[in-house]
Amino acid sequence: MRVRFAPSPTGALHVGGARAALYNWLLARGTDGGRFLLRIEDTDRERSTPENVEQILDALRWLGLDWDGEPDFQTRHEPRHREVLAQLLADGRAYHSRATAEDVKAYKAEHGADRGFRGADHPTRAADGEPDADGRRPAIRLVVPDGETVVRDLVRGDTTFRNVHMDDPVIARGDGSPLYNLAVAVDDLDAGITHVVRGEDHLSNTPKQLLVYAALGADPPLFAHLPLLHGPDGKKLSKRHGAASVQELREAGYLPDAVVNYLALLGWGDEDDETEIARDELVRRFDIGRVSKNPARFDEQKLKWLNGRYLRAQGVDGLAATIADHLRDAGHGDAIDGRDELLRTAVAISQEKIATVDDFWPLAGFLFAGPVDDEKARAKFLTSEAHRANLRAARDALAAVEPFTVEAVDARLRALVGELDAKAKDVFQPVRVALSGTTISPGVFESAAALGRDETLRRIDAALAD
Ligand code: GLU
C-alpha cells in the first residue's frame, strides 16, 4: 500500500481535499508497511506560491496527517517527463501534431461525432518538433491503440471505455512541456503508487492516464474516486455554506480530532448512525471499499455538535488548557493569566453551552473582563423600577449568603422570588444582566458563585448606580 496526496498549491486546503488526504492517510496507516506520500503538483507556476505550499502543509500538520519522507514537487520531475516523452516518440507511441481544436472538429464531422481523433496519419502530423514557418512548434499526442480501457475503481466498480471514442490525447505542449495527464501518470508510476485516491472531479482524466501507463507497458494502480461534497442544501459545497477550508475550521475553533472524525464519516461508515469514532479506531476500521458513491453532505452544524462532544471529552482540566491556548492566541492572555481557578470554574459552567473553543469567550469572557455592553439587555432588565427593586432585594439577600456557593445562592434567590411574589425571570434576569451585561451566559447562580460575593455585589451596585 503506497498512496499519495497530490494537491495543487493554488489556494487553501479545502475540506474536499482534506478528506482525500485523510482517506489516503487512513489507508496507509491502516496497512502494515503502508506509505503516505505527499506530492505538490506545482506545475501552474504562477499560482503555486511558497505561501500556498506552506498553508497546505500547515493544514495537514494541524489535522495530524503526517506524511512519509520529504514532500515531493512535481516540477522537479520535468526532466524525467521529457525523457518519457522522447521515449514514447522514439517507440512510435506518440507523435508530433499541429492539429488544432478546429481540425479535431472537422475530423469528427467527417468520421462521426463519437469517433476519437486519430492524428498519426493525418495531414496535421509533423515529422519532428521543429517550428513551422510562423515559428509555432507542434504539440505531442499519444497514440490511442484499439481496444478498451478499464478503470478499476474501488468505490465505483469497473468502468470500461472503448478506445475508439477517445481522442489521441495531447501530452505535451509545443514548447515540449509535459501536460498534466502525462506528469501524474509518470510520477505515480515512478513513486510506485498502488492506489490513487482522489476526488471524482478527476474521473475524466483517469482513462487518459491509463493510456499513458499502457503506452509505457506498465501496470496501472487501482483507483478510488471520492464523491463530491455538497452543502446541507444539496448544492456543491462552497463558501456560502460556511467554513470551507481547513484554515477556516481551525480559526473557527474546531478541534483537529473532531474534524478528522467528521470528515472520515463523510461518505464512509459501517453503520448509518455512528457519529463518534476515535482516530486510532478509524485507522483500524477504515475500508475504502465501503465509501459511498453518492455525494456526501458537509453540514457544519453536525460538525459543531461533534466538536462539542470532543471538547467535553477532554475533561475540565484538558478543556481549560485548550481554551487557555486559544485565548492567548486570540489576545486575551492578560485577562486570564494567573486566574487558573476562575478559568477552570468558567469552563466547568460553560462547557455544556459551547460547541467550539471560539464560543467560550463570548459566553464567559465577562467573568474575566467585566460585563459586556448589551444595550438591549440593559434596557429590558435594568431600567424599570420593578426590576431595579428586585435587583436591590437580590443584592441584600446575596450579601447575607454564607458560604457563597452555587447551591446557597440558588436556594436564596429562589426563596426571594417567593418572598417578592415575583416571576423568577424578573429576579434572575436583572441579576444575570448586572453580572454579565447580557442575557446569554452560563447559569446565573453558577456565574455569581464563580465571581464570588465581593465581585457579585460590586457588579450589582454598579448596575444600580447607572
Ligand atoms: N493535483 C490534483 C488536484 O489538486 C490532484 C491530482 C491527483 O490526485 O491525481 O486536484
Side-chain angles (χ1 to χ4, degrees), residues 4 6-8 41 180 184 196 198 202:
R4 87 301 195 272
S8 304
E41 303 211 312
Y180 174 69
V184 170
V196 169
R198 62 186 172 194
H202 284 282

Side-chain angles (χ1 to χ4, degrees), residues 160-289:
T160 303
F161 294 84
R162 293 184 57 207
N163 292 359
V164 66
H165 301 312
M166 291 196 264
D167 295 335
D168 285 353
V170 179
I171 53 174
R173 296 182 193 87
D175 63 5
S177 59
L179 281 178
Y180 174 69
N181 284 314
L182 177 97
V184 170
V186 171
D187 290 352
D188 284 340
L189 184 59
D190 288 349
I193 297 302
T194 58
H195 296 70
V196 169
V197 179
R198 62 186 172 194
E200 201 179 84
D201 46 327
H202 284 282
L203 213 51
S204 61
N205 289 322
T206 306
K208 295 176 198 167
Q209 292 167 22
L210 285 172
L211 289 171
V212 174
Y213 283 99
L216 294 171
D219 286 336
L222 290 172
F223 291 86
H225 287 99
L226 308 176
L228 296 179
L229 291 188
H230 287 179
D233 57 1
K235 306 232 169 78
K236 204 178 163 224
L237 192 64
S238 72
K239 271 230 179 264
R240 224 165 9 92
H241 296 108
S245 72
V246 173
Q247 190 61 33
E248 284 165 344
L249 292 175
R250 180 179 184 171
E251 277 161 15
Y254 290 100
L255 297 172
D257 281 342
V259 174
V260 160
N261 182 159
Y262 184 68
L263 289 179
L265 288 175
L266 275 186
W268 168 79
D270 290 337
E271 289 153 41
D272 282 351
D273 51 359
E274 210 171 12
T275 49
E276 232 179 306
I277 309 182
R279 192 184 285 257
D280 50 350
E281 202 185 334
L282 284 173
V283 167
R284 211 156 26 78
R285 281 178 43 196
F286 181 73
D287 178 355
I288 192 80

Side-chain angles (χ1 to χ4, degrees), residues 36-204:
F36 173 57
L37 310 181
L38 186 58
R39 182 175 68 234
I40 307 294
E41 303 211 312
D42 55 346
T43 46
D44 180 343
R45 295 194 190 219
E46 253 156 51
R47 292 166 65 208
S48 302
T49 61
E51 293 74 32
N52 284 339
V53 173
E54 202 33 58
Q55 188 175 194
I56 290 173
L57 299 188
D58 220 38
L60 292 173
R61 279 187 210 109
W62 181 74
L63 289 170
L65 306 183
D66 57 322
W67 55 90
D68 295 310
E70 291 298 312
D72 194 9
F73 288 83
Q74 190 153 56
T75 46
R76 291 187 191 154
H77 299 286
E78 193 174 325
R80 166 72 179 142
H81 300 148
R82 288 182 185 261
E83 189 184 297
V84 169
L85 285 165
Q87 183 196 327
L88 290 171
L89 286 167
D91 292 349
R93 297 194 181 270
Y95 59 90
H96 286 107
S97 171
R98 298 190 190 281
T100 61
E102 280 73 48
D103 294 323
V104 171
K105 226 165 118 188
Y107 183 94
K108 287 179 192 286
E110 191 184 328
H111 293 83
D114 64 344
R115 287 275 148 167
F117 174 71
R118 296 286 172 269
D121 300 319
H122 195 261
T124 51
R125 173 162 185 171
D128 51 34
E130 291 306 309
D132 63 11
D134 297 330
R136 279 191 299 248
R137 290 177 183 276
I140 299 175
R141 282 184 188 261
L142 192 68
V143 175
V144 174
D146 292 341
E148 292 176 341
T149 297
V150 182
V151 180
R152 294 190 53 208
D153 191 305
L154 297 168
V155 173
R156 309 168 60 87
D158 291 356
T159 311
T160 303
F161 294 84
R162 293 184 57 207
N163 292 359
V164 66
H165 301 312
M166 291 196 264
D167 295 335
D168 285 353
V170 179
I171 53 174
R173 296 182 193 87
D175 63 5
S177 59
L179 281 178
Y180 174 69
N181 284 314
L182 177 97
V184 170
V186 171
D187 290 352
D188 284 340
L189 184 59
D190 288 349
I193 297 302
T194 58
H195 296 70
V196 169
V197 179
R198 62 186 172 194
E200 201 179 84
D201 46 327
H202 284 282
L203 213 51
S204 61

